[in-house]
Amino acid sequence: MPFPPRLRDKIQEIADDHETRLSALIPVLREVQNEFGWLSNESMEEVAEALDIPPSSVQNVASFYTMFFTEPVGTHVMWLCRTLSCALRGAEGLEHHLCRRLGVKTGETTADGKITLLEAECLASCGTAPAMLVDDTLYENLTETEVDRIVDKIKRSG
Amino acid sequence: MPEQRIIRNYVDRHNSYTIESYLSSGGYSALRKALGIAPAEITDMVKKSGLRGRGGAGFPAGIKWNFIPPDSKKPVYLCCNADESEPGSFKDREILERDPHQMIEGIIIACYAIRSHKAYIYIRGEMPYGAKRIQQAIDEAYEHGYLGENILLSGFDLDMKLYIGAGAYICGEETGLLESIEGKKGEPRPKPPFPAQIGLFGCPTIVNNVETLACVPHIINNGADWFASIGTPRNTGTKIFGLSGHVNNPGLYELPLGINLLELIEEYGGGIPGGRKIKAVSPGGSSSAVFSADELDIAMDFDTVAAAGSMLGTAGVTVMDETVSMIKVAQNLAHFYRDESCGQCVQCREGTWWLEKILREIDEGKGAIEHLDIILDACSQMRGTTICALADGCAMPIESIVRKFRDEFEEHIKRGHS
């Protein structure tokens, strides 16, 4: 699916704002992912063409950074921190709880396509552990009740 | 004793992140003052203050700035490392979200000192809220004439750009960060050459941590001697300590370098929940060697912690109580480093993978006593043999855990179950 003209203009704008075309790649991929939810092979090829860089450079970067999705994900992405400080304050229990509640294993998407549950490495919220990033919102000092409330809110939303 | 707040002075104030709030507490007066002083003198002041890098290595900031060739024909860059991802560290996020202008003012002064006209702030992708605050602060600084052309009519020009990462711990390593801004995988570069010679886009570059740069305006305003009078003679200034894990009052505490670790945990952290005993403490982020309970009566400064076989690092202190399985802790850390290894160096790519596998098998009751020596051997082969310090960061804590808690490992292996 070719990029809509608005997105192509935006990519050009980002490219012009960077010192090299390659250095615009990460911001451009973020923009494309925001548009489609993930980065398909077709999208990556179109980015390579728009920035006039090798397709392999795009693939390399898209596969290296964990926040780029090279496969479809749910409408919302939950990044539950698993690293030490969160683990010491109950992250593992929360992960089991979330898996049960959502009916998925970590790394999977709910049947209704709304939520993908992923493990995050340290979110720099160790003092307010356990923590979870849901899309652009960080939730801290999590409990099972709080996690249920977040899931309910997403389920209710469109 | 209350905290000694310098950097954290206004973080609890309503709207503390706005330029209005910053200006009302004397913000940007250091910049005005600095622009009236010769760049080399600013660097000398920072050198004299004794300020050491707050990103983990503790390298003197003024000496680093002096590495920029004075006669460079190429543009000079400054990159602010806001990729805070070291497990146990959460100090920079507060500055980014609640008082970004002091960091921005520090960047402008640093750029003036090293004659840079382009600064980047590299923030990790997992901090969307911080990124929003930083972008707002940069925009405000432009509007008020603290960025752009002819700053405060001094003739000094500076552009500043926010660069948002996309999820990779390794981009906190300074050359991994540069690769990422250039639009590549965050694979660290062999050194030398150091970034001060060949850095961003092949040009001389300084990479400084958020907290380091936030110290700079205070040094300019109050003088190098004032900063040097705080802390200990070779470890000057305050440091933002992060307390997490099993303490009653986790959080950030700004205290002079050299504070006693037990005092930090007991007095500021409020001790251990349920009156339980401490089993182990990671003193400086997950890459530091852990201390056992009998090693905690120690001054928290770069040199003392290093002399005790660990490192102050980012001063993110993670406390583990007596209920914790050190086997699970080691496994948790190995998982992190395996996940975050960029894969360039064999010792790191393979080492982290094998460490996690062996530790998991031990935890699951499938371990053998010989495995402990295999772990120690792997750790020693991972140390000092790779392009960057990630492999060392994995080997140091795991080696220390196996050495200091070997009885627990052996007992667990002999029992054959959790």
Side-chain angles (χ1 to χ4, degrees):
Chain A
M1 187 174 54
F3 290 169
R6 178 181 38 81
L7 181 58
R8 262 181 292 169
D9 291 348
K10 183 75 193 171
I11 291 173
Q12 224 42 62
E13 193 188 308
I14 295 171
D16 293 344
D17 191 38
H18 283 78
E19 301 197 41
T20 65
R21 301 189 74 76
L22 188 59
S23 77
L25 177 57
I26 290 173
V28 163
L29 287 178
R30 186 177 302 109
E31 198 66 33
V32 172
Q33 182 164 287
N34 283 344
E35 177 81 22
F36 300 107
W38 66 294
L39 301 169
S40 65
N41 278 332
E42 292 74 21
S43 289
M44 286 190 265
E45 277 168 28
E46 199 158 335
V47 166
E49 206 171 302
L51 292 177
D52 194 21
I53 56 174
S56 60
S57 300
V58 182
Q59 293 272 359
N60 263 338
V61 163
S63 60
F64 184 82
Y65 294 94
T66 53
M67 298 182 82
F68 289 138
F69 306 122
T70 51
E71 295 190 11
V73 289
T75 321
H76 303 278
V77 178
M78 287 187 161
W79 292 96
L80 180 68
C81 179
R82 61 151 296 278
T83 323
L84 187 56
S85 296
C86 282
L88 292 172
R89 295 184 84 100
E92 206 178 328
L94 281 182
E95 188 173 347
H96 293 315
H97 180 75
L98 263 173
C99 287
R100 266 199 313 273
R101 178 71 213 275
L102 299 173
V104 297
K105 290 206 275 287
T106 304
E108 293 178 346
T109 303
T110 52
D112 61 5
K114 272 197 176 167
I115 299 171
T116 299
L117 176 63
L118 297 174
E119 266 182 357
E121 296 292 3
C122 191
L123 293 170
S125 310
C126 318
T128 45
M132 171 168 83
L133 184 69
V134 183
D135 303 326
D136 277 357
T137 308
L138 181 71
Y139 294 93
E140 301 165 277
N141 294 310
L142 288 172
T143 58
E144 290 190 4
T145 320
E146 175 69 4
V147 160
D148 283 339
R149 205 186 57 78
I150 297 163
V151 171
D152 288 340
K153 204 173 128 198
I154 293 176
K155 294 265 177 194
R156 274 199 311 272
S157 71
Chain B
M1 284 280 285
E3 285 179 67
Q4 188 171 344
R5 287 192 177 191
I6 296 167
I7 309 285
R8 301 190 72 232
N9 213 0
Y10 299 107
V11 293
D12 296 327
R13 187 196 263 185
H14 180 62
N15 288 341
S16 60
Y17 56 90
T18 62
I19 198 162
E20 286 76 21
S21 167
Y22 191 58
L23 289 171
S24 74
S25 50
Y28 289 105
S29 59
L31 175 62
R32 207 173 285 276
K33 188 172 165 189
L35 292 172
I37 305 172
E41 273 181 55
I42 302 286
T43 303
D44 280 345
M45 266 179 95
V46 171
K47 218 159 66 178
K48 218 176 127 204
S49 76
L51 173 64
R52 295 171 71 166
R54 276 22 180 174
F59 192 82
I63 293 178
K64 198 184 213 182
W65 293 2
N66 258 343
F67 289 156
I68 292 288
D71 51 352
S72 175
K73 300 276 184 293
K74 292 179 175 173
V76 173
Y77 290 97
L78 184 130
C79 296
C80 171
N81 187 345
D83 189 68
E84 183 171 54
S85 337
E86 175 76 8
S89 308
F90 50 103
K91 65 190 181 65
D92 295 336
R93 189 162 69 86
E94 182 182 73
I95 299 172
L96 297 164
E97 292 179 354
R98 300 213 197 159
D99 202 346
H101 279 288
Q102 64 180 330
M103 172 192 75
I104 289 175
E105 187 178 12
I107 297 172
I108 305 170
I109 296 168
C111 284
Y112 172 72
I114 63 169
R115 297 178 175 83
S116 166
H117 303 289
K118 183 77 189 255
Y120 281 92
I121 299 172
Y122 185 96
I123 191 169
R124 62 186 292 205
E126 294 92 335
M127 290 186 184
Y129 188 64
K132 205 171 117 191
R133 286 273 165 92
I134 293 297
Q135 190 56 58
Q136 184 191 331
I138 292 174
D139 294 345
E140 287 173 337
Y142 269 105
E143 282 160 24
H144 282 74
Y146 301 122
L147 283 172
E149 286 176 9
N150 196 14
I151 294 169
L152 301 175
L153 307 175
S154 64
F156 176 64
D157 306 334
L158 178 66
D159 274 318
M160 189 178 290
K161 192 168 180 59
L162 175 67
Y163 204 92
I164 304 172
Y169 168 71
I170 196 59
C171 293
E173 198 276 349
E174 61 178 4
T175 59
L177 183 150
L178 300 177
E179 289 286 302
S180 187
I181 295 180
E182 290 184 8
K184 301 176 222 161
K185 297 194 277 186
E187 292 177 333
R189 302 172 181 170
K191 293 166 277 276
F194 289 94
Q197 278 90 46
I198 300 176
L200 190 62
F201 304 118
C203 300
T205 304
I206 292 294
V207 184
N208 282 145
N209 166 262
V210 169
E211 186 187 352
T212 310
L213 289 160
C215 290
V216 171
H218 302 285
I219 292 169
I220 302 299
N221 270 333
N222 303 304
D225 292 340
W226 162 82
F227 193 83
S229 72
I230 304 164
T232 70
R234 294 195 66 248
N235 292 267
T236 59
T238 57
K239 178 79 197 73
I240 304 174
F241 293 91
L243 268 180
S244 69
H246 296 145
V247 284
N248 280 313
N249 307 316
L252 297 170
Y253 299 93
E254 185 174 1
L255 295 159
L257 275 167
I259 179 93
N260 182 281
L261 179 55
L262 264 184
E263 189 185 339
L264 181 66
I265 295 167
E266 296 295 340
E267 191 173 325
Y268 296 92
I272 315 305
R276 289 189 291 273
K277 291 195 183 74
I278 298 178
K279 184 168 187 178
V281 174
S282 167
S286 67
S287 304
S288 59
V290 303
F291 287 145
S292 53
D294 55 358
E295 296 176 294
L296 306 178
D297 188 9
I298 185 172
M300 287 290 278
D301 64 58
F302 292 105
D303 301 323
T304 311
V305 179
S310 185
M311 62 176 184
L312 186 69
T314 56
V317 176
T318 308
V319 180
M320 292 157 261
D321 75 18
E322 58 187 332
T323 65
V324 163
S325 154
M326 294 311 287
I327 299 158
K328 285 197 190 299
V329 170
Q331 194 189 334
N332 183 290
L333 294 177
H335 180 107
F336 172 82
Y337 292 96
R338 195 265 302 144
D339 215 14
E340 299 294 350
S341 171
C342 82
Q344 278 192 106
C345 307
V346 178
Q347 297 90 328
C348 180
R349 186 179 65 234
E350 292 290 317
T352 54
W353 190 90
W354 280 103
L355 285 180
E356 189 194 4
K357 181 180 153 65
I358 297 169
L359 287 162
R360 189 175 53 240
E361 284 178 358
I362 293 176
D363 185 43
E364 289 169 351
K366 298 179 225 156
I369 297 294
E370 306 87 83
H371 288 168
L372 299 178
D373 289 327
I374 294 174
I375 291 174
L376 293 176
D377 185 41
C379 287
S380 82
Q381 292 191 54
M382 287 165 72
R383 294 187 63 171
T385 57
T386 50
I387 290 174
C388 82
L390 189 142
D392 297 79
C394 177
M396 285 188 292
I398 289 176
E399 193 179 76
S400 67
I401 289 170
V402 173
R403 282 195 199 286
K404 292 177 187 181
F405 298 92
R406 192 169 178 123
D407 291 352
E408 182 181 339
F409 278 79
E410 289 187 356
E411 200 180 309
H412 184 88
I413 290 167
K414 282 176 196 150
R415 266 205 326 257
H417 57 82
S418 298

